[in-house]
Amino acid sequence: MDNKAMLMIPGPTPVPEKVLQAMGKHPIGHRSGDFSKIIGEINEGLQWLFQTKNEVLTLCASGTGVVEAGIINFLSAGDKVLVGSNGKFGDRWAQISKAFGLDVQVIQEDWGVPLKPEDFGAALTADTDKAIKAVIVTHSETSSGVLNPVEAINEHVKAHGEAIIIVDAVTSLASYDLKVDELGLDVVASGSQKGFMLPPGMGFVSVSEKAWAAYGNATLPKFYMDLGKYRKSFAKNSTPFTPPVNLYFGLQAALEMMKAEGLENIFARHERQKQACRAAMKALGLPLLAPDDYSSPAVTSVIPGDVVNSEDIRSTMRKQFDIALAGGQDHLKGKIFRIGHLGFVCDRDILTTIASLETTLQILGYEGFAPGSGVSAASQVLR
Ligand SMILES: *Cc1c(COP(=O)(O)O)cnc(C)c1O
């Protein structure tokens, strides 16, 4: 049915009517006083959302662009970096680091296995001449649904003293209680189409004083991505280049909605919906890729195995129920499906998705569950 599509994918995520309406206006001049007021309000709102007093800089870029900015602004060619990789995004940060001529040591785990803080500890402790300049980690690894133990990894970075920590929080920001200042996280990046209830097109990055000190010595080339320019503009409620003006209107509305809900409620909602999804998949006999204790509040990865084909599940869900689920990436293509529960998702969406999934499994001839058991397990969590 036209116009009934439900996005249960980890980005782009659903956008509220209020945000769409806020965006559906004529753009205004980005150097006008009216727009400057909006920027001021947004900057303050982003600092609230990031739980930080650091500047949170807004770029016209997708998540990859802001993480790239978060890497290249603080390093010089040949600098040694540790990159944690247990999925598509960890791999990407290692690739970007190599592309810019950094000396990359990858701390690797299989997709679905959380990164081990002690591996970072060992590499950082062995680095007695303090050659490691940055540690780059993905918090919520969206490709597998693993939530990496950033807090514990960060303790090793703090003990090292010299290195900064650069965190891809693209799907954990606004879904998980990531205490940026309390933990002293140096560079934290996220993107509009994930937990922010906005369309794609904007990225955000917070930068600590320690990272700004590193910026002063960093010589990798940069121009559009030069965060120093964005810092100067931040102080003047301005932007260095023409920003996506209508996305700013949308962000203003989205931040208003998030403030009305409150951070605690936002985090609790994501946790509850994750638990509901996981309980339902277990009741349906469908294995999960990420372990319970390291599971992402944004996305649940499911391995239907040989019994039912994950791509058949996705196409039936789309054709019969207008529900989009995400597939697997790289070597997990065709092997898993992923349920996004990020941003503008309510409990009803979770129940609808699970009920539709049960019917889909029946259509595809999978009999390994008692009808209603997935919905029942989810509602036990949600009620
Ligand atoms: C979506 C995502 C990104 C950024 O991807 P873009 O397509 O560039 O927006 C980065 N990291 C994670 C963990 C993501 O989920």
Side-chain angles (χ1 to χ4, degrees):
M1 191 188 288
D2 196 24
N3 255 316
K4 263 287 185 188
M6 238 174 103
L7 276 182
M8 297 299 287
I9 62 174
T13 61
V15 179
E17 202 77 25
K18 267 188 198 172
V19 174
L20 291 172
Q21 279 172 358
M23 291 178 57
K25 290 188 290 209
H26 287 289
I28 59 175
H30 64 291
R31 301 293 180 216
S32 66
D34 284 346
F35 195 64
S36 182
K37 255 173 66 186
I38 294 173
I39 295 176
E41 201 181 299
I42 281 171
N43 287 349
E44 178 270 322
L46 288 171
Q47 287 174 312
W48 166 79
L49 187 60
F50 275 67
Q51 305 188 59
T52 187
K53 292 195 164 57
N54 296 331
E55 290 117 332
V56 182
L57 310 173
T58 301
L59 276 67
C60 180
S62 79
T64 304
V66 277
V67 177
E68 179 170 312
I71 295 172
I72 66 172
N73 275 271
F74 308 105
L75 295 161
S76 307
D79 277 355
K80 183 160 185 188
V81 294
L82 285 188
V83 183
S85 183
N86 54 348
K88 175 100 184 154
F89 293 101
D91 286 354
R92 185 174 296 172
W93 313 143
Q95 282 170 2
I96 288 179
S97 301
K98 284 174 191 159
F100 281 92
L102 300 173
D103 175 9
V104 181
Q105 181 182 344
V106 178
I107 307 245
Q108 188 83 45
E109 286 295 345
D110 287 340
W111 293 35
V113 178
L115 295 172
K116 289 188 186 66
E118 55 270 30
D119 292 346
F120 291 83
L124 289 161
T125 311
D127 181 41
T128 46
D129 55 357
K130 309 288 178 195
I132 299 171
K133 298 301 175 205
V135 175
I136 306 169
V137 277
T138 302
H139 188 198
S140 163
E141 179 46 87
T142 316
S143 59
S144 67
V146 165
L147 188 75
N148 282 311
V150 159
E151 291 90 343
I153 294 168
N154 180 54
E155 281 179 28
H156 292 293
V157 181
K158 290 288 169 285
H160 180 269
E162 169 75 22
I164 58 166
I165 185 164
I166 300 170
V167 181
D168 165 358
V170 177
T171 54
S172 61
L173 221 291
S175 72
Y176 177 89
D177 190 7
L178 185 64
K179 297 181 186 306
V180 171
D181 277 5
E182 208 173 298
L183 295 169
L185 300 177
D186 295 301
V187 178
V188 179
S190 196
S192 60
Q193 82 276 27
K194 306 293 176 99
F196 291 75
M197 310 195 292
L198 283 172
M202 264 173 147
F204 315 99
V205 58
S206 78
V207 181
S208 73
E209 278 310 321
K210 181 173 178 175
W212 284 123
Y215 170 89
N217 302 319
T219 59
L220 283 180
K222 52 196 174 284
F223 186 88
Y224 186 78
M225 293 295 201
D226 182 348
L227 293 181
K229 293 184 171 70
Y230 293 83
R231 184 185 206 191
K232 278 193 195 130
S233 298
F234 183 94
K236 297 183 289 185
N237 291 339
S238 167
T239 59
F241 312 107
T242 311
V245 166
N246 289 53
L247 277 171
Y248 277 67
F249 298 156
L251 178 55
Q252 191 183 24
L255 283 167
E256 216 169 87
M257 286 179 70
M258 287 192 254
K259 283 194 170 171
E261 186 175 2
L263 283 182
E264 301 232 320
N265 291 332
I266 293 172
F267 303 146
R269 171 166 57 81
H270 284 87
E271 172 68 20
R272 179 173 79 241
Q273 294 179 353
K274 166 188 95 173
Q275 297 294 358
C277 279
R278 295 180 72 83
M281 295 310 117
K282 289 175 191 171
L284 296 175
L286 300 178
L288 297 163
L289 181 59
D292 286 340
D293 291 345
Y294 297 91
S295 50
S296 167
V299 58
T300 297
S301 291
V302 187
I303 318 166
D306 309 325
V307 204
V308 233
N309 180 283
S310 65
E311 291 308 295
D312 291 345
I313 292 175
R314 293 204 314 125
S315 73
T316 303
M317 286 288 277
R318 197 171 53 244
K319 284 192 198 121
Q320 183 127 1
F321 300 104
D322 290 293
I323 297 176
L325 300 177
Q329 293 168 288
D330 291 358
H331 67 281
L332 290 181
K333 205 172 171 66
K335 301 221 161 59
I336 63 168
F337 67 87
R338 295 175 296 147
I339 306 170
H341 31 81
L342 177 60
F344 187 56
V345 174
C346 70
D347 291 356
R348 182 190 66 205
D349 301 333
I350 300 293
L351 288 174
T352 303
T353 302
I354 292 164
S356 304
L357 178 63
E358 285 199 15
T359 310
T360 295
L361 293 170
Q362 288 167 334
I363 291 168
L364 298 174
Y366 172 61
E367 303 284 353
F369 66 100
S373 58
V375 172
S376 168
S379 59
Q380 266 189 43
V381 175
L382 297 175
R383 71 186 173 213

